[in-house]
Structure formats: structure tokens, C-alpha cells
Amino acid sequence: MNHPFDLTGKRILVTGASSGIGRAVAIECSKLGAELILLGRNEERLVDTLANLTGDNHKYFILDFTKKNDFEGLNELISTHGKLNGLVHCAGITSTLPIKSISAERLQSAFETNVFGAFELTKWFTKKTVIHETGGSVVFIASVMGIVGEVGKSLYSMTKGALISGSKSMALELASRKIRVNCISPGVVLTPMVENGVYANDDNLFQKVKDLHPLGLGKPEDIAHSVNFLLSEASQWITGTNIVVDGGYSAH
Ligand SMILES: NC(=O)c1ccc[n+]([C@@H]2O[C@H](COP(=O)([O-])OP(=O)(O)OC[C@H]3O[C@@H](n4cnc5c(N)ncnc54)[C@H](OP(=O)(O)O)[C@@H]3O)[C@@H](O)[C@H]2O)c1
């Protein structure tokens, strides 16, 4: 009998797999036996993730959530490769902006990737031609910014809060089909998003952010391990929840 955390035989689609958290999720899932479909925009970095996976039969697919959400190619991949057991939406963009600088265009762009992309993909994943007959697990990477506030984070917080609240109703609607829907809300994790972001050239600000995390800043693997849990049978009685993985940030 498989260990409850084992992912052998599960086929998992991961968005944002070309970088940071999504790449770590794919790598850690493959170590537990899963077959991966990697989604991203940057082919070179997707191929790099692919090269770091354990096992065979992994695939990648180019998709930009700000373009028309066209899942035709993905449908073909499913019909040749097999149905899915899990979906992890890691693709996302962030911003740190005062309210007065948040234009309608920025709102649209942030929601397109962080929320509309997640929703359209979940709608597609739950089709009978896509999801495995035994059901499946959907995991959205939200953020602590979806449950607490920070100056300059209102746009990002709105997108992540939408995932946290929306996932609860999705979980209720899909439970009878054995489809679980959960969020993980990370604190600050050292990925290109953070390394090239607002802290990159401001050591004082970076130190302040570090000090707000009692266990220090996170590594992508810290998030990947929680995702592994939500994809596995070990979490079979968990749906509609938000697991905060933030080194103690939101305990203040
Ligand atoms: N790092 C943190 O501190 C932190 C904290 C809380 C939550 N999160 C969330 O965790 C998730 C992953 O973040 P990360 O830190 O790993 O960031 P990252 O290294 O910048 O990776 C972001 C990923 O999202 C993909 N992406 C962005 N826009 C896209 C679009 N329009 N269409 C398709 N893919 C798109 C990127 O694809 P390409 O590279 O191929 O363009 C990349 O794979 C995000 O949702 C983020 O909000 C991160």
C-alpha cells in the first residue's frame, strides 16, 4: 500500500512552473512519483524545470493568462497523455503601489493572471474529459496579503483575497464529485518575484521584512511541501480551507 503522502500515478498540472514556487512544486511532486504537466510563458525556463524533474513522461505547455485562455492544445495533451488528478495554480504577478497609482489597466492585468486565469483553468480542469474519474485536488497559491494588509498592497491583496474566498464556494460545489479546492498562503519566499522586486535595492526595507518573519524568509520548497500534502491522500478530508505557510508573519 502507498504511503498517504505518495503521489505515484497522479498526473498534476502546475502553472508558473518556469520559476520560483511553481518550479519547486513540480520538482518536489516528481520526487513523490507524480507525472507533471508544466505551464508557463518562458519556454527556456520551463525546459530547465523539466530537466530537473525525477521520473519520465513529464510534459510542458506554453500558456499566457493575459492572452485568450485557449485550452485546445491542453485538451489534446490530456487525450494523449491521460486525465488529471491535480491542478496547482502558482502563476501570479505582484505589485507594490499606492491606491492613486492603480489604474484600470493594472487592475485588469493583475486579475487576469492571479484570478481569472485560476478560475478559467479550474473550470477546464473539472470537465469530465479532463479530470480523473476518482476526483482531484485543486490548490491555489494565494498569499498572506489575502488575509492581512500592508501599505501599497491593496491591488495584490484584492486578487489573493478573491482566491481565498472563491475557493470556499468552489469546494462546496465540487465536493460531491470528490474534487477538493484549497489555498496556500505564503509569507515572503525567496524567489525571482521577491529578489527582483521592491526590496531588491533597499537593504533597510528588506531587513524590516525579514524581521517580520519569526522563522526567517521562506524557501520555495517550504511551500512545495504543503502543496504536496494537499495533492496527496493524506489531505483527503481537507477542502475549502486556506493553509497559511508564512514563518509566523501573520501571528503578530
Ligand atoms: N515569493 C513570494 O514571496 C510569494 C508570497 C506569497 C505568494 N506568492 C505567490 O506565489 C506564486 C508564485 O510566485 P513566485 O514567487 O514563484 O514568483 P515568480 O518566481 O515570479 O514566478 C511567477 C510565475 O508566474 C508565471 N506567470 C506570470 N504571469 C503569467 C501569465 N500572464 N501567464 C502565465 N504565467 C504567468 C511566470 O511565468 P514565466 O516566468 O514563464 O513568465 C512564473 O512562472 C504567485 O502567485 C505569487 O503571488 C509568492
Side-chain angles (χ1 to χ4, degrees):
M1 206 177 95
N2 286 350
H3 189 280
F5 289 84
D6 191 43
L7 298 179
T8 303
K10 290 192 189 291
R11 204 165 289 114
I12 314 286
L13 188 147
V14 181
T15 74
S18 49
S19 182
I21 292 172
R23 173 176 282 172
V25 165
I27 292 172
E28 296 304 316
C29 283
S30 76
K31 287 182 191 166
L32 291 171
E35 262 178 40
L36 278 303
I37 298 178
L38 313 174
L39 255 69
R41 292 176 300 188
N42 184 301
E43 185 163 18
E44 202 180 329
R45 284 191 277 102
L46 278 176
V47 170
D48 198 32
T49 304
L50 197 70
N52 281 288
L53 300 183
T54 303
D56 307 313
N57 285 330
H58 309 297
K59 302 272 183 276
Y60 72 88
F61 191 83
I62 311 283
L63 194 134
D64 185 338
F65 290 108
T66 59
K67 308 267 161 64
K68 189 172 166 283
N69 283 321
D70 184 359
F71 302 133
E72 247 345 278
L74 274 178
N75 285 334
E76 274 170 37
L77 200 61
I78 301 305
S79 56
T80 52
H81 202 52
K83 291 184 182 178
L84 298 177
N85 305 89
L87 165 65
V88 189
H89 186 64
C90 302
I93 53 172
T94 191
S95 59
T96 306
L97 291 169
I99 295 165
K100 64 180 179 198
S101 303
I102 301 172
S103 59
E105 289 74 25
R106 282 191 196 274
L107 263 173
Q108 178 70 20
S109 160
F111 269 85
E112 266 173 358
T113 303
N114 294 5
V115 185
F116 303 160
F119 182 73
E120 288 299 331
L121 203 58
T122 304
K123 210 160 89 178
W124 169 81
F125 173 74
T126 56
K127 284 164 83 171
K128 288 201 170 84
T129 48
V130 176
I131 193 165
H132 197 271
E133 291 72 23
T134 52
S137 171
V138 179
V139 183
F140 297 132
I141 304 300
S143 167
V144 279
M145 287 302 124
I147 53 168
V148 299
E150 184 92 43
V151 174
K153 285 292 178 191
S154 49
L155 172 53
Y156 185 62
S157 292
M158 284 190 286
T159 65
K160 296 303 186 177
L163 286 180
I164 294 167
S165 53
S167 61
K168 293 184 190 300
S169 294
M170 289 184 215
L172 293 177
E173 192 170 325
L174 296 169
S176 62
R177 293 180 55 203
K178 299 270 181 269
I179 303 171
R180 301 184 291 112
V181 187
N182 293 289
C183 286
I184 288 178
S185 285
V188 173
V189 179
L190 289 168
T191 68
M193 179 180 274
V194 168
E195 286 154 358
N196 307 327
V198 68
Y199 315 122
N201 301 313
D202 190 334
D203 291 344
N204 279 345
L205 184 60
F206 197 36
Q207 190 55 50
K208 274 189 197 154
V209 170
K210 279 186 191 165
D211 293 343
L212 287 169
H213 292 74
L215 295 180
L217 300 182
K219 298 189 292 302
E221 293 74 24
D222 293 324
I223 309 306
H225 295 146
S226 305
V227 174
N228 290 158
F229 167 64
L230 285 177
L231 291 171
S232 74
E233 300 309 316
S235 61
Q236 66 179 359
W237 205 47
I238 298 179
T239 197
T241 201
N242 175 36
I243 300 182
V244 177
V245 186
D246 69 349
Y249 176 91
S250 59
H252 289 286

